[in-house]
Amino acid sequence: MTTRREFIRNAALASVGVAMGGISTKMNAASYSRVVGANKKVNLAHIGIGNRGWEIINDFDKTGLANVVALCDVDMGAEHTKNALNKFPKAKRFKDFREMFDKVGNEIDAVAIATPDFAHFPAVMMSMAEGKHVYVEKPLSRTFHESELLLKASRKYTNVVTQMGNQGHSEANYFQFKAWKEAGIIKDVTAVTAHMNNPRRWHGWDPNIRKFPAAEPIPETLDWDVWMMAQRYHDYNKDFHYGQWRCWYDFGMGALGDWGAHIIDTVHEFLDLGLPEEVIPVKLKDHNDYFFPMSSTIEFKFPKRGKMPPLVITWYDGLDNIPPVPEGYGVSELDPNIPSVGGGQIQPTKLNPGKEIYSKELIFKGGSHGSTLSIIPEEKAKAMAKDLPTVPESPSNHFANFLLACQGKEKTRSPFEVSAPLSQVFNLGVAAQRLNRKIVFDRKTKRVTNDPFADAYLTGEPPRKGWEDFYKI
């Protein structure tokens, strides 16, 4: 298959280019010249078209800026893929994105990827090598090394537009945080509490698990081999498939990877956090070697940055793992779904996914995604109201922002230069969850210095045979 051979050749050339300080690739000159400055719609291919994929298909369609030319999914016969197939009956259909690029790559300007966490990297890397603009759901990748490679790729494939799908980066909180930071309202932040304590899609497996679930018959319409992509082979089991993949270390990034990008994204970008120096697993309930703890408390310690003081983010997830809130936070009804903790009393506050930001002078509370911040207590907020700067409205939502960037009319707000380091924070958190021990990290060398197992975990296992070339740049 010609395109696949070219991909392997270009990956090898790119590897040489990195070493020499340059790069040699086919890039995307053809699609770039077709789209930039033009009023025509962006020819868009979707990889992963069920569940979350179906949602973003509709989000892109609502912009009126895209023309769907191809649909790709490993299970075209599944119930969850039918809606997309029915909506775009003229779009070319594929089970394997490699075949899609082989056969209709010259018809595609951009790709939107909504596959499981572990399956992001190969599809993103090949899309960029093929010169296609890329929108990919969060987190960017399952391993620190994959995010690092995508960051390097984004700096080499300079004509490729990239965007990670943390939608709040194009909504009110993004513009408010930026304005308040620039106006000196948000300054000298020393601590952030971030939490996701809502029910999640956890399977019922015993945390005393000693092996993976037993093999089950593979659905006739599912290409299980392609579903696994570069990950080592696992026998099919329904608890690996659909939403359950997020629970397993081998496939997903747990609640941290799922919601972290929607909660701490603006804190991370506008406070110039970069990567932490230490990651400490404070609490890991039902820790095991296979799937994520039922509750986690993790500390991320960031050093002083310029004139900004050191900062600690404390992450909480789990129904029974509710963080304390500051005085004046406000009281809401107790969530009846939250059980008691060891017979202890639950605080009478329901916390939706969100954050509390502690600076030397002010405390802020905020939600997830695009939810705006409030100064607490309310009396303080009222006293400061006249001093708050005007916050501009977003010129485009996250999906339109990507497509307009493909047309050369805007710049994406969550390009890989921004979203890769954010995802690497979560990669480090997952390493601490999986290994259940403190990680000391060198921000310059990007290596773990206190634990060789944790350092190796950042790279992960070698890719499966046939997928090695996706990891060359």
Side-chain angles (χ1 to χ4, degrees):
M1 292 188 279
T2 303
T3 302
R4 288 178 66 180
R5 287 200 298 269
E6 288 182 353
F7 171 75
I8 294 171
R9 177 178 62 82
N10 287 331
L13 288 172
S15 178
V16 174
V18 170
M20 299 299 292
I23 195 164
S24 176
T25 72
K26 60 186 280 188
M27 297 303 291
N28 69 326
S31 66
Y32 192 71
S33 61
R34 282 202 308 272
V35 176
V36 170
N39 291 320
K40 71 180 287 295
K41 294 182 177 182
V42 176
N43 287 336
L44 184 62
H46 286 278
I47 301 175
I49 66 172
N51 301 315
R52 178 59 186 156
W54 168 239
E55 292 175 356
I56 72 168
I57 283 172
N58 285 292
D59 287 324
F60 275 113
D61 191 50
K62 289 174 185 176
T63 68
L65 298 170
N67 176 41
V68 177
V69 296
L71 297 171
C72 182
D73 197 282
V74 294
D75 195 344
M76 287 297 197
E79 191 66 31
H80 64 275
T81 61
K82 290 181 179 178
N83 288 331
L85 298 176
N86 292 336
K87 183 165 186 169
F88 300 103
K90 295 182 180 180
K92 306 292 176 56
R93 303 178 180 189
F94 301 93
K95 277 193 170 185
D96 190 325
F97 69 89
R98 297 168 296 183
E99 182 184 4
M100 179 184 76
F101 283 125
D102 284 342
K103 294 187 175 179
V104 298
N106 61 342
E107 301 175 25
I108 298 169
D109 299 319
V111 177
I113 298 168
T115 57
D117 298 350
F118 76 95
H120 289 175
F121 177 81
V124 174
M125 188 60 85
M126 188 170 191
S127 297
M128 296 179 75
E130 291 290 320
K132 312 307 178 186
H133 308 303
V134 183
Y135 181 104
V136 59
E137 276 295 284
K138 50 75 205 163
L140 193 58
S141 74
R142 193 187 68 87
T143 71
F144 187 98
H145 179 59
E146 289 175 341
S147 289
E148 187 69 13
L149 289 177
L150 292 177
L151 180 60
K152 291 180 179 179
S154 72
R155 292 169 177 167
K156 298 299 179 180
Y157 297 95
T158 54
N159 284 339
V160 171
V161 170
T162 62
Q163 179 97 303
M164 188 178 79
N166 50 333
Q167 298 80 14
H169 237 57
S170 289
E171 297 173 15
N173 176 245
Y174 177 89
F175 296 94
Q176 180 204 36
F177 203 112
K178 185 175 186 292
W180 283 17
K181 166 71 165 33
E182 291 173 350
I185 304 299
I186 300 176
K187 64 179 180 179
D188 297 328
V189 176
T190 58
V192 176
T193 300
H195 41 86
M196 202 319 231
N197 310 99
N198 284 9
R200 302 187 304 282
R201 295 168 293 175
W202 291 112
H203 51 66
W205 282 87
D206 186 339
N208 294 316
I209 188 171
R210 292 290 183 269
K211 62 180 181 179
F212 283 112
E216 296 178 342
I218 301 172
E220 292 183 3
T221 56
L222 171 64
D223 190 328
W224 180 242
D225 186 73
V226 176
W227 186 89
M228 287 182 295
M229 292 202 187
Q231 181 56 272
R232 64 188 171 95
Y233 186 85
H234 291 66
D235 289 324
Y236 172 83
N237 185 283
K238 66 180 183 303
D239 280 327
F240 291 153
H241 205 201
Y242 302 130
Q244 301 286 33
W245 52 263
R246 178 161 281 133
C247 310
W248 304 90
Y249 288 117
D250 280 9
F251 299 125
M253 290 274 287
L256 178 61
D258 187 17
W259 281 83
H262 294 313
I263 296 174
I264 69 170
D265 55 338
T266 47
V267 170
H268 185 268
E269 178 174 359
F270 294 121
L271 298 185
D272 299 325
L273 292 184
L275 299 173
E277 287 185 322
E278 293 184 8
V279 183
I280 303 170
V282 177
K283 172 185 176 181
L284 300 177
K285 180 184 177 183
D286 295 326
H287 178 270
N288 65 87
D289 287 336
Y290 296 88
F291 59 81
F292 284 87
M294 300 306 288
S295 300
S296 296
T297 304
I298 308 170
E299 286 185 356
F300 298 86
K301 294 186 176 182
F302 298 88
K304 181 179 180 181
R305 292 101 45 229
K307 295 182 180 180
M308 291 183 282
L311 184 152
V312 177
I313 293 179
T314 307
W315 168 267
Y316 293 79
D317 66 53
L319 293 178
D320 60 350
N321 193 27
I322 313 299
V325 294
E327 185 178 352
Y329 179 90
V331 177
S332 57
E333 294 182 3
L334 181 65
D335 187 341
N337 293 316
I338 300 175
S340 63
V341 182
Q345 185 177 358
I346 301 294
Q347 64 183 40
T349 305
K350 175 184 176 181
L351 288 183
N352 288 317
K355 54 187 170 285
E356 292 77 51
I357 301 171
Y358 299 84
S359 71
K360 291 181 180 178
E361 297 181 1
L362 297 172
I363 301 175
F364 308 85
K365 70 173 180 179
S368 182
H369 292 70
S371 301
T372 54
L373 298 173
S374 299
I375 296 170
I376 55 176
E378 187 177 359
E379 293 76 18
K380 185 71 172 178
K382 289 179 178 178
M384 292 190 61
K386 65 181 185 302
D387 300 320
L388 299 178
T390 300
V391 177
E393 293 186 4
S394 176
S396 56
N397 69 26
H398 212 51
F399 305 94
N401 175 234
F402 171 70
L403 295 172
L404 289 168
C406 293
Q407 294 177 334
K409 299 176 180 179
E410 290 188 4
K411 292 184 178 180
T412 51
R413 299 184 194 102
S414 191
F416 291 175
E417 290 83 356
V418 171
S419 52
L422 174 64
S423 292
Q424 288 179 319
V425 173
F426 310 141
N427 296 137
L428 288 166
V430 168
Q433 284 178 301
R434 170 64 179 81
L435 299 172
N436 194 15
R437 48 188 179 261
K438 175 181 176 179
I439 288 175
V440 179
F441 187 76
D442 187 320
R443 286 160 45 103
K444 292 183 179 179
T445 64
K446 297 185 179 181
R447 300 290 297 269
V448 176
T449 61
N450 70 316
D451 190 318
F453 293 103
D455 191 52
Y457 191 83
L458 298 189
T459 300
E461 298 180 2
R464 211 156 46 107
K465 184 177 180 181
W467 296 88
E468 303 94 337
D469 288 299
F470 289 84
Y471 291 78
K472 297 176 181 178
I473 181 171

